[in-house]
Amino acid sequence: MSYARVLSVGLLGVTGHLVEVEADLAAGLPTVALSGLPDTALNEARDRVRAAIVNSGQSWPNRRITVNLLPATLPKHGSGFDVAIACALLGGSGELPLAPLDGVAILGELGLDGAVRPVRGVLPMVVAAVRAGITRVVVPLANAAEAAVVPGVRVKGVDSLHRLVAFVRDGGRLLEPPEPDPVSPPAGPDLAEVAGQGLGRRGLEIAAAGGHHVALIGPPGAGKTMLAERLPSILPPLDDEAALEVSALHSIAGLLPPGGRLLRRPPLQAPHHTATVPSLVGGGSGLARPGAVSLAHRGVLFLDEAAEFNVRALEALRQPLESGRVLITRSRGATEYPASFQLVLASNPCPCAKPSGDLACECTPLARRRYIGRLSGPLLDRIDVQVPLVPLRAADLVAAATPAEPSAVVAERVRAARSAAAQRWAGTGWRVNADVPGPHLRRTRWRLPARDTEQLRRSLDTGALSARGYDRVIRMAWTIADLDGRDRPGADDVAEASQLRSGRSA
Ligand SMILES: [Zn+2]
C-alpha cells in the first residue's frame, strides 16, 4: 500500500474542524511535499516528523512523499498535526497497519527524539471531533486530562511516537488520562474581606446584577482593586455551555489550569497599564493566542489605572465592547475570538495620585478633567455605573468591627435580580439590563411615570445631565428595582441611580 489517511483536528478561532491527513508514497527521488495551506510551523513539521520516525526506530521511506491536509481551504496552524502526519506516513509506507486508528482523531506535536509534546487548544479540538461524530481520540499525555473533560469521547494519552506505534502494531497499551482533581480550585477573593465601602459595594452589586460596565474613581488606598477583584465572586457561575467556551479560550492560550476541570467561575483579567495592543486583543505567530479581552470572555476585564493606558490600547477595546468579538488581523489571515466581558475600570481622579483633599495635590480642575477625559470616547461612554470612592475613614473601621457581608449572600441577590430581568426581556435577545437600548426604556410601555423622573428631566433641561446619561440612570434604576424585588423602579430607585451616576454619595 502506498496511500494512507489519518484524522486530526484544526482550529479556526475557537471552532475546531476535522482535518484529514493523507500521505501518498510514490517511486521517484526521495522528497517530501506538504500541501493544504500549511503555515511555517507545518513546514517545520516535515523535519520534526522525519527525525521522530527515525529516532523511534522506524525506517524512513526513501520515496517521493506527498502529505496533504484536507480540507485545503481551511488554514492550518501550529504543530498539532505532527503525530497524525507520522502515522499517515508509516501507514502509507506499509510499516504500520492503520486499522486500529480507524475513526480515531490524533493530536500532538513531535519532538526530534520522538516524544509527543502537548499542544494548545486540545479542548476545543476534542469538542469539534465529538461534534463530527468521533468517539475516540489520541492526545499528548500532558493534554489528556483536558481532553477527558469533554463528554462522549474515549481519550487515550501518548508520551511518545514509539508507544503509539507499539499500540497500532502489537496492541501495546496507551495511557489513561489522570483522574480529575477531586479538590475544587480555591474560590478566590471574597467580599467579606472588604471593610466599609458601602457605596463601592452597592455599586459593584448593581453592576453585577445589571451586567453594567463600571468605573471606580478614587485616590490610592480607596480600595478600588479590592472591589474589582471581587466582582467575579458575585456573578453567576458559568453554565455548561459558557464553561466550555471559556475553558476553550484558555486552552488555546495554553492557560487552562491542570486538574481536568472546566472553568466555572467567571474569569478576571487585569492587564497592566503598560500592556501592548496584541496582549490585549490577541496575536502571535502560528495559532493566534487570545488576548486579555478574550480571556475575560463571560467574565471581567479590569483596567486598573485606566487613564495610564496608552491611547491605542484603549482604542483597541472599542471593537470588542461594541460587538463582543475581536478580530485579530495578521499577514496570514484573520482569526476571530469571542470577547464579551464586563468592563471595570479604576482610576485616580487626578494625575498626581495624591489623596483628595491632600494639600500636596496641586492639580487644577482642568488637569483633573483632562486626566479622566482620556477615558472618554471608547470607554466612559459605555459605562453605566460610576462609583466615587474615598479612602477608608475611622467611622468605616468602627463599622468594620461587624463582619462584612460575604460574596455568597450578595451573589444570591444578584442571581434573583438577573432572573427577574431575564424574564422581563425574554424573547428580545437581551439578557441583562445593560443590554437594553435607551430608547426602548424611554418610548415603550416600559417608560416610567413622569412623577418618578421629574428631577432627572430637570437635570436634562439644565444640561447637568446628557441624554445618554439620562438613559444610563434609568437603566440602573431598573437594576436597583430588580435587586430590591420591585417589578418597576420608583422615584427612590431613580434617585439612587442618579446619585451613583453623578458621583454624589447619598
Ligand atoms: Zn492631584
Side-chain angles (χ1 to χ4, degrees):
M1 185 164 72
S2 59
Y3 170 87
R5 193 185 67 109
V6 169
L7 293 176
S8 190
V9 185
L11 283 178
L12 202 57
V14 78
T15 312
H17 299 270
L18 222 50
V19 168
E20 291 181 25
V21 179
E22 301 180 303
D24 181 72
L25 287 79
L29 283 177
T31 54
V32 186
L34 273 169
S35 56
L37 289 188
D39 72 359
T40 334
L42 248 164
N43 270 317
E44 291 161 2
R46 179 174 20 203
D47 303 326
R48 283 196 304 270
V49 169
R50 183 201 299 263
I53 285 183
V54 172
N55 291 330
S56 301
Q58 307 301 308
S59 52
W60 177 259
N62 271 319
R63 287 194 273 167
R64 195 161 63 84
I65 300 169
T66 309
V67 173
N68 188 31
L69 274 64
L70 294 169
T73 46
L74 179 79
K76 325 279 187 319
H77 304 287
S79 47
F81 302 109
D82 286 5
V83 181
I85 293 172
C87 289
L89 269 172
L90 293 171
S93 71
E95 291 265 320
L96 213 54
L98 288 184
L101 295 180
D102 259 0
V104 179
I106 301 173
L107 311 172
E109 175 184 317
L110 285 170
L112 299 181
D113 57 354
V116 174
R117 294 205 186 130
V119 290
R120 292 189 280 129
V122 162
L123 180 62
M125 288 178 190
V126 174
V127 168
V130 171
R131 285 190 184 145
I134 301 288
T135 56
R136 290 187 300 155
V137 294
V138 171
V139 303
L141 181 61
N143 296 126
E146 168 184 349
V149 164
V150 183
V153 65
R154 274 184 57 207
V155 176
K156 295 287 182 184
V158 278
D159 51 356
S160 66
L161 182 59
H162 183 265
R163 186 183 294 277
L164 188 55
V165 167
F167 161 75
V168 175
R169 189 175 287 150
D170 312 315
R173 279 165 49 84
L174 298 179
L175 304 168
E176 295 297 325
E179 289 293 315
D181 201 336
V183 185
S184 304
D190 195 286
L191 271 180
E193 299 141 5
V194 178
Q197 294 298 9
L199 193 62
R201 293 177 65 108
R202 178 70 170 162
L204 205 66
E205 181 172 338
I206 293 170
H212 306 283
H213 299 314
V214 54
L216 306 169
I217 310 289
K224 301 182 295 260
T225 306
M226 271 201 93
L227 282 167
E229 285 174 343
R230 283 157 180 79
L231 178 54
S233 73
I234 57 172
L235 291 172
L238 304 175
D239 62 20
D240 288 350
E241 186 213 335
L244 208 53
E245 192 181 22
V246 169
S247 303
L249 285 160
H250 284 74
S251 164
I252 296 171
L255 295 172
L256 200 61
R261 283 166 173 268
L262 290 178
L263 300 172
R264 289 286 175 180
R265 185 180 166 107
L268 173 88
Q269 287 287 310
H272 190 256
H273 62 78
T274 56
T276 60
V277 172
S279 76
L280 281 175
V281 301
S285 60
L287 182 62
R289 278 175 204 265
V293 296
S294 295
L295 294 173
H297 179 57
R298 293 186 185 253
V300 176
L301 183 72
F302 172 41
L303 305 184
D304 199 5
E305 310 204 41
E308 304 286 339
F309 276 72
N310 127 2
V311 176
R312 283 188 51 230
L314 295 179
E315 280 290 322
L317 299 176
R318 189 191 291 269
Q319 185 199 27
L321 278 171
E322 271 168 17
S323 65
R325 309 192 67 78
V326 66
L327 195 66
I328 307 166
T329 322
R330 299 177 304 165
S331 56
R332 287 200 57 88
T335 308
E336 197 182 51
Y337 286 125
S340 172
F341 50 82
Q342 196 168 351
L343 180 67
V344 179
L345 61 82
S347 178
N348 296 312
C350 73
C352 83
K354 300 236 167 71
S356 59
D358 188 325
L359 294 177
C361 169
E362 293 177 346
C363 299
T364 61
L366 179 65
R368 287 169 161 258
R369 270 204 304 280
R370 269 211 193 116
Y371 189 70
I372 291 295
R374 296 193 48 173
L375 301 175
S376 62
L379 298 189
L380 232 39
D381 284 355
R382 302 190 165 273
I383 284 171
D384 287 341
V385 184
Q386 283 187 42
V387 187
L389 292 175
V390 289
L392 216 57
R393 292 164 308 184
D396 289 327
L397 290 173
V398 173
T402 53
E405 207 173 28
S407 291
V409 175
V410 183
E412 178 50 34
R413 284 198 297 271
V414 168
R415 190 202 57 75
R418 281 188 170 230
S419 138
Q423 266 179 30
R424 180 169 57 245
W425 309 126
T428 61
W430 305 314
R431 291 174 305 116
V432 289
N433 293 337
D435 294 341
V436 183
H440 193 78
L441 294 175
R442 258 184 281 124
R443 295 190 198 133
T444 64
R445 67 194 177 94
W446 303 110
R447 183 153 75 150
L448 301 185
R451 64 174 187 279
D452 292 340
T453 55
E454 197 183 334
Q455 185 67 41
L456 211 55
R457 279 178 292 117
R458 208 171 300 142
S459 304
L460 197 60
D461 289 342
T462 61
L465 191 69
S466 68
R468 282 177 173 210
Y470 180 95
D471 286 344
R472 295 209 165 88
V473 170
I474 298 293
R475 217 180 274 138
M476 260 194 290
W478 276 97
T479 302
I480 292 168
D482 288 338
L483 270 172
D484 295 351
R486 283 187 288 281
D487 55 357
R488 284 185 95 90
D492 288 352
D493 302 316
V494 176
E496 186 185 352
S498 185
Q499 273 158 6
L500 263 177
R501 179 72 202 162
S502 64
R504 286 190 307 269
S505 38

